């Protein structure tokens, strides 16, 4: 890395609501406008939300799986998203894009909740498929539904990182950000820039939880993950009321110290921008979270051997 630039101006490009009737092309136009705004401010990397191109459709029940395919992309880029790729390349801006992916890799068609990372020359450097799928596979009558387990396979690409744009970048998607394992697996590969898109409902479907905890937990988990692994986190929300269903905003950029250095306060299309000095990662990675000096893996076996929490009798 010596001689390479270690400072990157980055934007979390939050999207306001996308209604079920909205055409993909109109969402792409909004994304291009955000990208251009970020580029005018000197940004080199823009992070868009999870499932950015459509409404957050896993809140709706479709008995027949083929009926959800209307929300999925069969190729990336495709005719509708090409204007975003073209403009980003013209402006020399890299981006993270979350979308629903219909993949045919020779073993039948599979559906994934996916993100890609595109570098400043327009090259797709990485793909990630969401691993921690929340919700249920079955429809629950009379309840608010979150059906990601119905519509998506668990991601099969692990948590890779890529050396790109002067640093080491990794990706995850929404619910992944609540799990410390997500950050640590990438922390163990030297991640410096962890990119996240999310759609978080303003009400907790599973519990009668006070509304303020939605934002608190959103930031708490990402701030902890950033600090404990000495990485920047750039997180972008889809926000506002989608056909009456609220999504929190709170898109943010978090330093390796765990501090939020930029965030949005709206529930609309918006940008949070910060200069990410990747050298700041080194200070955390070489002091409190110097893994080589301090990790004690001989005591961590349960983490990969056991899924459930089992209390002693
Ligand atoms: N889209 C998501 O992954 N949503 C989850 C909710 C269901 C817990 C989230 O982490 O916000």
């Amino acid at each position: 890395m010596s001689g390479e630039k270690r400072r990157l101006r980055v934007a979390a490009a939050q999207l306001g609501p996308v209604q079920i009737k909205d055409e993909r092309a109109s969402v792409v136009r909004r994304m291009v406008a955000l990208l251009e705004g970020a580029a005018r401010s000197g940004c080199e990397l823009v992070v868009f939300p999870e499932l950015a191109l459509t409404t957050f459709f896993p809140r709706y029940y479709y008995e027949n799986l083929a009926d959800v395919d209307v929300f999925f992309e069969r190729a990336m880029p495709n005719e509708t998203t090409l204007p975003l790729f073209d403009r980003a390349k013209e402006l020399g801006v890299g981006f993270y894009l979350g979308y629903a992916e219909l993949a045919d890799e020779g073993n039948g068609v599979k559906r994934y909740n996916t993100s890609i990372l595109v570098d400043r020359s327009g090259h797709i450097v990485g793909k990630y498929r969401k691993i921690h799928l929340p919700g249920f596979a079955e429809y629950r009558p009379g309840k608010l539904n979150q059906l990601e387990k119905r519509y998506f396979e668990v991601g099969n690409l692990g948590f890779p990182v890529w050396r790109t744009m002067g640093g080491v970048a990794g990706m995850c998607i929404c619910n992944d950000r609540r799990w410390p394992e997500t950050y640590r697996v990438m922390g163990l590969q030297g991640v410096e820039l962890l990119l996240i898109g999310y759609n978080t409902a303003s009400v907790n479907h599973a519990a009668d939880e006070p509304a303020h905890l939605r934002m608190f937990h959103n930031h708490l988990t990402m701030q902890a993950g950033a600090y404990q692994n000495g990485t920047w986190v750039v997180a972008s929300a889809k926000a506002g009321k989608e056909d009456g269903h609220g999504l929190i905003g709170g898109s943010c950029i978090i330093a390796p110290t765990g501090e939020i250095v930029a965030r949005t306060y709206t529930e609309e299309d918006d940008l949070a921008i910060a200069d990410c000095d990747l050298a700041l990662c080194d200070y955390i990675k070489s002091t409190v979270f110097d893994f080589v000096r301090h990790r004690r893996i001989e005591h961590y076996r349960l983490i990969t051997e056991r899924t459930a929490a089992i209390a002693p009798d």
Side-chain angles (χ1 to χ4, degrees), residues 66 146 211 217 277:
Q146 215 290 4
H217 291 153
D277 181 359

Side-chain angles (χ1 to χ4, degrees), residues 57-64 137-139 145 147 150-151:
F57 66 87
R59 72 167 73 88
Y60 301 119
Y61 174 62
Y62 295 89
E63 189 178 347
N64 184 349
E138 296 308 323
Y139 177 65
N145 281 282
L147 291 159
R150 180 177 189 82
Y151 300 138

Side-chain angles (χ1 to χ4, degrees), residues 50-51 56 58 113 130 132-135 146 148 173-179 197-201 203-205 214 218 247-248:
E50 171 191 36
L51 301 177
F56 187 70
N113 188 340
K130 186 172 181 178
H132 297 100
L133 297 175
Q146 215 290 4
E148 284 192 58
I173 302 179
C174 199
N175 188 42
D176 287 319
R177 76 194 188 290
R178 301 184 190 272
W179 297 86
Y198 61 96
N199 282 269
T200 293
V203 288
N204 184 341
H205 296 177
R214 307 301 284 159
N218 175 38
L247 294 170
I248 66 167

